[in-house]
Every structure is written in structure tokens, then in C-alpha cells.
Amino acid sequence: MADAATPTPPVSFAPTRRARLVPGRELYAGRPALSVQMEATATEVVRGARLCVESALGGVITMPSGRQPSLERLTETLTAFGAVTGDVSDTLVDANRYAGKKRISGPSSLDVAWVDAQLRNGQRYALTDSPYIPDGDFAALNSTLSQGRDMRRAVVVNLPISYLWLKNRARELREAINRAGVPVALTVEHASDSMGVQAVVRGLVHVLGAEPPVLLLRCDASAVVAIPYGAAGGAIGTKTSLRHLYPLPAPGAKGGGRPARVAVWVPRLLSYKSLEVVADVVQYPGIPQYLVCDCTSCDGLTLDRVTDEAQAYDHSLRALMEFATTRLGVERSPALQRLAFYEAGKSAQFAHMDIESSTGVPFEAPAFLGAWKVAYEELNA
Ligand SMILES: [Zn+2]
């Protein structure tokens, strides 16, 4: 396979030894709260592994969608990752059977050999090869949870669910997780940003209060926000398709998902913006101040310096990690971290309004900022 034949570059970069954001409730002591979720191609694994070392992040490696990945492929991938990081203990491998046009949906057998192969390769926890769990499919939910529990191994049971579970059935979902008593990961399907829906964030906050540790995978900035609300970990995708789980297109509709425009994380706006939008608004007087980034890649430049996906990736993950450690703060209580995000979110919403009024360009703040703002206010009411 071409992937395995690609030589691993020598490890010639310096880890920053940055302080880690520690979740209030850890899967195990010392596990990084935040992970990079990357594709399992040779290039992406090496690039993701470097970022994990430099920024003290965990890794989630996602296999191609909708197929049962081979155990050989799993071992090759973890070997390539470990050649850079020297350690795969904080890594999870996502079989990704729940995504894409050929996805497995509804009750389905989990493969204990998939779990054992991850553990044998040195992971502290293995991620189950779960099916997609449609809204209200309690048979799929309970069978996935009970199979994971009955493996009696160090597993995180992946729960790739419709966002409607969080919107309408959060209480039942949390009870099912509590009954199973195993750590779980939520992968939430939605046509755009599930965390832009107020009722979904409210449901998520409820489910994060389950007794076993709950992680949030295949996500964006909401993976960071979820930590002080009780998540044991969160994974941020390197590209749009790994920051979301899109529903299948309606029968007869062409294509799936949405056109993948390259987007860049803008720290002062707390949101991803497409490169086109950044290039447009940066030309207006007074606007560049909102587009400055102080991450270790940008070093105070404005984000119109980013012109391709590779740069967007490198900057975005670093900047999000730095936001987590410096703005939320590693030494603070979860309550103070929630307040810090609440205040940062309000500033970002104001910045959007200011950009719109001073440029005339429609510039709406992303809905997840509003949804987390209300979640904070409800929790502190
Ligand atoms: Zn940057």
C-alpha cells in the first residue's frame, strides 16, 4: 500500500511543552483534553502526529468511511503515527463505519478484534466500530452500549447519533449511558453545525453530566467549550468533513454534504471563516484588527496570509489549542472557564456586528456562540 511505503520524516521539531487543558473528569490521569481528528492517509497521519507532539494534543485517526477497515491498515497507521509521537497511548482509531453513502446504520455487531488490535498497538483505550444510530433507534443505542460493556476491555463506545437524540431525548440517552456504565464518545450528525441549535447544546450539557466519562468527537470549537461543561475530551477535525457528520442526501438528490470550502479559525471572531470571506473583509479600514492571529504559526499576522488548506489546518489547530489554554485557562475551575468562554463569545458576537456595520458585508456570528451563551445563562440562572 502506498501509505505504508511513504517514509516517515525524522523528528526534528521541538515540542512546546505547553500546559494541557485538563478536563474536570478524565478518562485517565494525564490524558489531553483536546485531540486532533485526522484522516488515516500517510501524509495526514504524519502531519497530525507532529501537531500532537508540538501542541500536547491527543489524536483521533479516522479511517475511510463506510467500510470495515482491516486490522493491517490499523497497525500500519498506528505505526506511522507512533514513529513521530513515540507513543500512541492517547490515540483513538475511528473505524468510521457510520459515515458516508455506504454507512452501517441501526443495530450491528461490534468487532472485538478491532478493539483488541488498538489495545495491542499500545492505546490506553480503544474506540468501538459502532454503527450510525438513527433518532429514536433504541435497539441500536442499547445494543451498541451493551456490546461495548460486555467486551470487558478498556473501550470508549462511539455513539454516532442524529442530533435529534440531544435535542429531544437527552434524558433517555443519559440514562442509557448510565445503565451501560462505559465511557462513550458522541459523534453528532447534523446538516450544518449541530451545536448551533440551542436545544442540542442544552441536551449535550445534560448528557455530559452522565456518570461515565463522555467525549465529543468530530467537532470544532464546541469540543473546547464542552470541556468545562463536563466532557472528558473533545476532538477537533483537521478539515470540514472531520468537524461534522453530515446526513445522507435525500433519495434522488445529487451529491452529499456541502462543498468543502477551505475555512480558517479566526480567534478574535471565535469562528471558522472561508478564505474568501477573510480576503474580502480584510481590505476594509479598521477590520484587520479582528483578523490578527498570535498563534505560533501566524505570530501576529492577519489571516489573509493563509491561502491553502495546509496552512489553514496548521494555524487553526494551534490557535484553537492556544485559545483553550490561555483564554479558558488551564489553572482555572470549570466554572471560571465557562465564564471565560461566555465573555469571549460576547466579544466575538460584538466583533461580527461591528464588521457588518462598518463594511456593509453581511457578517453573521455563528449560531453556536449564541447557543452556548444561552446554555451558560440557563446554568447560572
Ligand atoms: Zn494563527
Side-chain angles (χ1 to χ4, degrees):
M1 189 182 298
D3 283 352
T6 308
T8 304
V11 182
S12 59
F13 49 92
T16 52
R17 299 275 167 231
R18 194 179 303 286
R20 293 178 181 197
L21 180 68
V22 175
R25 187 173 37 166
E26 297 172 288
L27 192 57
Y28 51 84
R31 186 177 195 280
L34 293 175
S35 294
V36 189
Q37 188 150 0
M38 68 198 85
E39 285 181 338
T41 64
T43 314
E44 293 300 306
V45 163
V46 168
R47 204 200 285 180
R50 289 182 168 196
L51 195 60
C52 287
V53 175
E54 291 178 3
S55 294
L57 295 163
V60 178
I61 305 174
T62 298
M63 292 288 166
S65 66
R67 284 170 269 163
Q68 182 67 48
S70 74
L71 301 184
E72 292 72 28
R73 177 74 189 271
L74 170 73
T75 299
E76 282 168 14
T77 305
L78 282 169
T79 303
F81 184 90
V84 177
T85 60
D87 177 15
V88 301
S89 56
D90 299 328
T91 310
L92 296 170
V93 184
D94 171 15
N96 203 15
R97 294 198 306 150
Y98 56 81
K101 288 189 182 129
K102 294 180 182 170
R103 70 183 179 187
I104 312 295
S105 180
S108 170
S109 295
L110 303 187
D111 185 3
V112 72
W114 175 255
V115 162
D116 282 341
Q118 291 177 69
L119 299 175
R120 198 166 53 239
N121 276 290
Q123 293 175 217
R124 284 282 295 274
Y125 272 77
L127 193 63
T128 59
D129 61 334
S130 305
Y132 173 68
I133 301 172
D135 178 40
D137 191 340
F138 285 92
L141 175 68
N142 290 322
S143 120
T144 303
L145 283 167
S146 61
Q147 289 181 73
R149 178 198 60 211
D150 292 347
M151 286 179 185
R152 310 228 170 268
R153 287 162 170 80
V155 292
V156 173
V157 175
N158 198 9
L159 297 177
I161 52 172
S162 161
Y163 76 99
L164 292 167
W165 279 101
L166 293 177
K167 184 167 182 269
N168 301 324
R169 306 178 196 277
R171 187 178 53 79
E172 291 148 294
L173 178 60
R174 178 162 132 171
E175 284 169 4
I177 295 167
N178 283 345
R179 273 197 306 277
V182 280
V184 300
L186 304 177
T187 300
V188 185
E189 179 203 59
H190 189 267
S192 56
D193 177 12
S194 56
M195 301 304 155
V197 181
Q198 180 57 57
V200 171
V201 169
R202 183 182 297 125
L204 174 67
V205 169
H206 182 74
V207 173
L208 292 177
E211 288 155 23
V214 179
L215 290 82
L216 184 61
L217 303 186
R218 207 161 180 152
C219 198
D220 54 22
S222 288
V224 179
V225 195
I227 305 297
Y229 283 87
I236 301 162
T238 56
K239 53 197 292 189
T240 307
S241 61
L242 290 177
R243 292 192 285 269
H244 301 275
L245 174 59
Y246 292 120
L248 294 181
K254 287 199 167 170
R258 41 183 53 205
R261 287 206 292 176
V262 177
V264 67
W265 172 254
V266 184
R268 294 183 188 182
L269 301 177
L270 287 189
S271 55
Y272 281 90
K273 299 290 178 201
S274 74
L275 300 188
E276 293 82 357
V277 164
V278 170
D280 181 17
V281 299
V282 76
Q283 302 176 48
Y284 291 86
I287 301 307
Q289 56 157 327
Y290 292 121
L291 301 171
V292 166
C293 178
D294 297 313
C295 85
T296 47
S297 278
C298 299
D299 198 19
L301 296 174
T302 51
L303 287 165
D304 53 322
R305 75 164 194 90
V306 173
T307 54
D308 63 33
E309 182 150 44
Q311 292 171 356
Y313 163 138
D314 194 61
H315 144 80
S316 295
L317 269 297
R318 285 172 203 272
L320 265 164
M321 181 61 193
E322 287 171 24
F323 170 78
T325 53
T326 63
R327 295 289 291 280
L328 295 190
V330 291
E331 302 284 321
R332 290 187 178 148
S333 68
L336 285 175
Q337 290 176 339
R338 291 193 292 266
L339 174 62
F341 186 80
Y342 177 71
E343 297 294 348
K346 284 199 295 187
S347 300
Q349 285 179 316
F350 175 80
H352 281 82
M353 285 189 286
D354 188 33
I355 291 173
E356 180 164 306
S357 66
S358 53
T359 66
V361 177
F363 211 74
E364 211 176 322
F368 85 93
L369 290 178
W372 282 107
K373 179 170 177 280
V374 173
Y376 180 86
E377 289 164 352
E378 287 178 353
L379 197 66
N380 293 277

